[in-house]
Amino acid sequence: MTVQISPSVLAADFARLADDAALVASTADWLHIDVMDGDFVPNLTIGLPVVAALLKHTPLPLDCHLMIADPDRWAPDYAAAGARNVTIHAEAVSAPVRTLRAIRSAGARAGLGINPGTPVDPYAELLPEVDMLLVMTVEPGFGGQAFLDLVLPKVRRARELIARHGGEIWLQVDGGVTEETIERCAEAGADNFVAGTAVFGAREPAAAVEHLRATAAAAGRRPGASAS
Ligand code: DX5
Ligand code: ZN
């Protein structure tokens, strides 16, 4: 499997976003942007104007995670602005097929996210419409929360459904991903890892990305790991 690391700027300094993005530009694959509207989740972060501004100041592709109540209305705009991946939540979207297609038509990869309490099986039919499935490993809304091990069987199941479908769909985990928990995620079949605190809370964020990548890659190669 090819491991991808997507540092979340939720754990960076919002007043120095471009500087903090630069810290991981040489080692990260993506920059994960948590867009929260204070409605779908009880927290408010940044939106389209900040994403558009940041695009001009980082070479990293932006992975926009929309935790907003009306992704049907807003998701295509993030893709049109230049985000390389746009993930919407299954719990919030009204017309998933239309919105996922609109994201792709606007030039981005389309991601579909599910919360810890949302089963993955009902979304198997949507796999042809997505480029990445995001399985949340905390309740969305805040950084620095403890990883929920109870989600791991669902990560494994998601990998099975993706394998059955065929094609190249990435499986992302987000929330509480650290040097300690990333192994379990990789063994369960995840290949794209969001990490906020574990990267920007580290003394050397670039090195933290490399360590996470090496740990995940080793765990993904272990016998019994759900191959991606
Ligand atoms: C939580 C966000 C995450 C968050 C992860 O709702 O979606 O991306 O930044 O932060 P850590 O890695 O600190 O759990
Ligand atoms: Zn996120």
Side-chain angles (χ1 to χ4, degrees):
M1 80 173 177
T2 305
V3 170
Q4 298 183 75
I5 307 290
S6 188
S8 167
V9 297
L10 191 61
D13 182 342
F14 270 7
R16 302 173 57 92
L17 275 183
D19 295 340
D20 280 2
L23 294 177
V24 294
S26 61
T27 54
D29 300 282
W30 294 85
L31 198 62
H32 184 85
I33 312 292
D34 289 303
V35 176
M36 306 186 187
D37 65 354
D39 186 359
F40 179 67
V41 288
N43 196 5
L44 184 65
T45 55
I46 56 174
L48 204 43
V50 176
V51 167
L54 188 55
L55 275 162
K56 297 189 205 127
H57 294 282
T58 179
L60 284 170
L62 299 191
D63 166 26
C64 287
H65 176 195
L66 305 188
M67 286 161 278
I68 60 177
D70 193 0
D72 302 87
R73 161 71 183 84
W74 294 106
D77 288 356
Y78 284 83
R84 202 80 66 78
N85 179 83
V86 180
T87 295
I88 56 172
H89 264 267
E91 301 84 359
V93 68
S94 305
V97 174
R98 186 172 64 217
T99 299
L100 290 163
R101 287 184 182 181
I103 293 169
R104 281 177 163 176
S105 319
R109 297 177 63 93
L112 182 68
I114 53 172
N115 286 342
T118 304
V120 67
D121 277 80
Y123 298 99
E125 283 74 21
L126 285 180
L127 288 180
E129 307 295 334
V130 312
D131 300 297
M132 183 167 78
L133 200 55
L134 159 61
V135 175
M136 289 302 299
T137 41
V138 297
E139 293 289 0
F142 301 93
Q145 300 183 76
F147 181 82
L148 295 174
D149 277 282
L150 61 87
V151 180
L152 285 172
K154 189 167 65 179
V155 175
R156 221 168 255 282
R157 176 67 182 155
R159 174 52 68 193
E160 278 170 21
L161 293 173
I162 289 171
R164 189 177 305 170
H165 167 68
E168 220 208 293
I169 298 174
W170 299 340
L171 180 53
Q172 184 176 64
V173 285
D174 180 10
V177 175
T178 65
E179 194 61 47
E180 194 257 319
T181 60
I182 198 167
E183 293 192 297
R184 315 210 271 285
C185 298
E187 276 167 7
D191 56 8
N192 186 305
F193 305 86
V194 177
T197 311
V199 171
F200 289 108
R203 186 128 30 100
E204 291 184 48
V209 169
E210 284 298 273
H211 288 143
L212 288 166
R213 186 193 306 286
T215 307
R221 280 194 298 267
R222 240 168 251 154
S226 294
S228 70

